[in-house]
Amino acid sequence: MPTSPLAIPMVDPMDDLLSSAPCGLFSFTDDGSLIAVNETLLEVLGYARDELLGHHVELLLSLASRMFYETHFFPMIRMHGKAQEFSLSLRAKTGESVPVLINAVRKARPGGVVNHCAFMLVRERAKYEDELLKAKWAAEEALLSNEELTRAKQELEQQTRELDQKLRMLERRNQQLTRMSTILAHDLREPARKLSMFACLFTREDREGLSLTGQRSLDRIKAVSMKMEQLVTALHELVTLDVSDEPVEEVDLLEVVGNARQRVSEAAMTGSVTLRCAPLPMVQGRRRQLMMLFYELLDNAVKFRKPDTHPQIDIECQLIQDNSFRVMKDKYRYTDFARIVVADNGMGFDNRYSEYVFEVLRKLDANTPGLGMGLAVCHKVVENHGGSISVEAELDVGTRFTILLPLRQQ
């Protein structure tokens, strides 16, 4: 039978050492009556000794801790004779909640059983736990970043392998183009040249000895052999644009346009060409190719002028920022571009053919002058410089080419 708590004297049996220990100490009977507290507890909670002794132990506990005391803490002491490292909140006299880590032991003594408790303040524990959690999160983020870095490295290695394969393929294609260029320059051009030469060896007497049909055939041979030689030369010129080792240098586009205009005027034999040109910038590029670009554009405007109309060409320029990535999706790198518009007052064409006209040997009208190579050359030059070219046209109104050229080669 449990002894009545009144048999245990309500005096503080603690000696000086325990009373001033760096931890709070208190003792209570099974009915919850406090029978001993040390000075450390009184200092922490702000009570006087006579305000606690004889009162119920729950006076020391916050509301949440009272429920925990009744459901877990005290049953654990009675069942096992001790409780270790329980987190509770004590209640100071001011009402402040004081977090503590508490141990308890149950001891028999004359007159009954006493539960002795010792607690340590853990005000800094929450801060340390937060710091530990932050350190854990930082470590997890670092690990995640490391995993992402590993994945990025693997993707980069994969892209490097793919790029190497594409470069090898490109190198093989360049070698093929070089061989093809050699064939165009010699093996195909030579038969055309000899055919034209032998046709020209016919004297007037030889020609008169031919029938009318023979004379017409001879003229046709001369014309076709000459066109064939021109075509081979043009194809060779187009192929060399891809395999040329021409250096990149600073090019004054205004100077390039002026030279192109002079060449077109001399070749057209139609008098001067009216050209209104806005200021153009310096760009990094291949001078010969840029000369070809503007010559073909101006020549195109003169060739396809409207009958009885003086050719007029307007060139405008604007510096803009544009994405230098042309093929890769979701990749962006904005750099400085020159947006150049070349507009003429020529014959124009149906805008449905705006892509068709840039293809090799494509002509909208077989009876018009030229081989159908000029705009293909323009497209190739702009492509080699990391830019783009497009065209808008209206029949009997004119044509408008828009060119994007990067100011600096990447």
Side-chain angles (χ1 to χ4, degrees):
M1 295 292 293
T3 307
S4 170
L6 295 179
I8 301 174
M10 292 186 294
V11 295
D12 191 347
M14 296 188 180
D15 58 24
D16 291 341
L17 179 62
L18 292 179
S19 184
S20 60
C23 63
L25 300 172
F26 62 93
S27 302
F28 63 92
T29 60
D30 278 356
D31 68 348
S33 295
L34 285 168
I35 61 171
V37 294
N38 72 343
E39 289 293 335
T40 304
L41 180 147
L42 297 176
E43 291 176 5
V44 169
L45 300 183
Y47 284 103
R49 191 180 305 276
D50 58 2
E51 291 178 310
L52 296 179
L53 294 179
H55 292 273
H56 199 281
V57 68
E58 290 186 356
L59 178 63
L60 301 177
L61 304 175
S62 66
L63 179 61
S65 292
R66 290 175 188 176
M67 298 176 61
F68 187 78
Y69 165 83
E70 294 174 356
T71 58
H72 291 81
F73 184 68
F74 186 59
M76 176 71 71
I77 297 173
R78 295 193 65 176
M79 183 179 299
H80 298 285
K82 62 180 179 179
Q84 294 180 331
E85 296 187 14
F86 273 73
S87 293
L88 294 175
S89 293
L90 302 184
R91 182 180 180 276
K93 185 175 180 180
T94 59
E96 176 190 2
S97 180
V98 180
V100 299
L101 189 66
I102 191 168
N103 288 339
V105 62
R106 184 177 177 84
K107 295 292 184 179
R109 58 175 289 178
V113 178
V114 177
N115 305 292
H116 301 291
C117 299
F119 67 82
M120 297 289 295
L121 293 176
V122 288
R123 284 194 175 98
E124 300 295 319
R125 180 172 180 171
K127 183 179 72 173
Y128 296 147
E129 289 177 347
D130 287 343
E131 291 177 353
L132 286 172
L133 284 175
K134 289 178 181 178
K136 178 183 177 184
W137 293 337
E140 290 175 348
E141 288 178 359
L143 179 61
L144 181 60
S145 298
N146 188 52
E147 292 175 352
E148 292 176 351
L149 182 61
T150 302
R151 285 196 299 270
K153 183 179 179 181
Q154 292 172 348
E155 292 175 1
L156 182 59
E157 291 175 351
Q158 177 65 24
Q159 292 176 359
T160 302
R161 288 192 294 270
E162 293 175 357
L163 180 60
D164 182 68
Q165 294 174 357
K166 291 178 180 178
L167 287 175
R168 290 201 303 270
M169 184 181 299
L170 182 60
E171 185 177 354
R172 288 195 297 269
R173 289 181 179 177
N174 281 340
Q175 293 172 352
Q176 294 171 356
L177 285 173
T178 303
R179 289 193 294 270
M180 185 183 298
S181 175
T182 302
I183 293 172
L184 289 174
H186 300 91
D187 300 348
L188 291 181
R189 186 185 297 175
E190 189 62 24
R193 184 185 296 113
K194 288 183 178 179
L195 185 62
S196 177
M197 180 187 67
F198 284 121
C200 292
L201 289 178
F202 277 80
T203 63
R204 180 178 297 179
E205 291 79 8
D206 294 332
R207 179 182 177 83
E208 291 175 354
L210 297 174
S211 64
L212 183 60
T213 301
Q215 293 178 13
R216 289 175 179 173
S217 297
L218 181 61
D219 293 338
R220 184 64 177 165
I221 289 173
K222 290 181 180 179
V224 170
S225 61
M226 185 177 297
K227 182 177 180 180
M228 182 178 179
E229 187 173 356
Q230 292 172 350
L231 180 60
V232 170
T233 301
L235 287 172
H236 172 65
E237 192 73 34
L238 182 65
V239 170
T240 56
L241 293 177
D242 276 326
V243 297
S244 173
D245 57 354
E246 182 184 358
V248 174
E249 57 181 312
E250 292 289 335
V251 180
D252 185 348
L253 291 183
L254 198 58
E255 178 185 343
V256 167
V257 170
N259 293 336
R261 174 188 180 180
Q262 183 177 353
R263 287 180 56 197
V264 169
S265 298
E266 292 172 354
M269 294 184 298
T270 58
S272 63
V273 176
T274 300
L275 174 63
R276 293 182 297 194
C277 184
L280 298 177
M282 300 282 291
V283 301
Q284 286 184 348
R286 296 171 174 84
R287 184 180 300 276
R288 186 182 69 89
Q289 292 192 23
L290 293 173
M291 281 287 298
M292 294 173 64
L293 167 66
F294 286 98
Y295 170 78
E296 294 294 347
L297 290 176
L298 299 186
D299 185 59
N300 189 78
V302 172
K303 282 180 181 177
F304 299 103
R305 63 184 181 276
K306 288 184 289 189
D308 303 323
T309 302
H310 184 74
Q312 179 175 309
I313 306 170
D314 293 292
I315 300 180
E316 300 174 356
C317 181
Q318 180 183 10
L319 298 183
I320 65 170
Q321 287 269 314
D322 196 53
N323 186 15
S324 59
F325 285 97
R326 297 292 172 186
V327 178
M328 298 180 68
K329 296 181 178 179
D330 301 324
K331 295 290 185 180
Y332 301 94
R333 184 184 181 186
Y334 285 89
T335 55
D336 293 326
F337 278 77
R339 182 178 183 271
I340 303 170
V341 177
V342 180
D344 63 52
N345 63 340
M347 298 167 57
F349 57 86
D350 191 326
N351 210 46
R352 292 179 300 171
Y353 301 106
S354 58
E355 297 291 336
Y356 178 89
V357 296
F358 290 109
E359 297 181 12
V360 179
L361 301 179
R362 295 295 190 181
K363 298 179 65 176
L364 297 179
D365 185 351
N367 297 319
T368 55
L371 299 172
M373 296 289 293
L375 294 184
V377 169
C378 293
H379 190 276
K380 177 59 67 176
V381 170
V382 174
E383 186 180 68
N384 287 350
H385 284 76
S388 64
I389 183 171
S390 60
V391 63
E392 296 175 299
E394 187 175 349
L395 201 59
D396 295 326
V397 175
T399 307
R400 178 186 176 92
F401 292 92
T402 301
I403 306 162
L404 285 181
L405 280 179
L407 300 187
R408 297 287 180 269
Q409 292 296 300
Q410 302 301 317

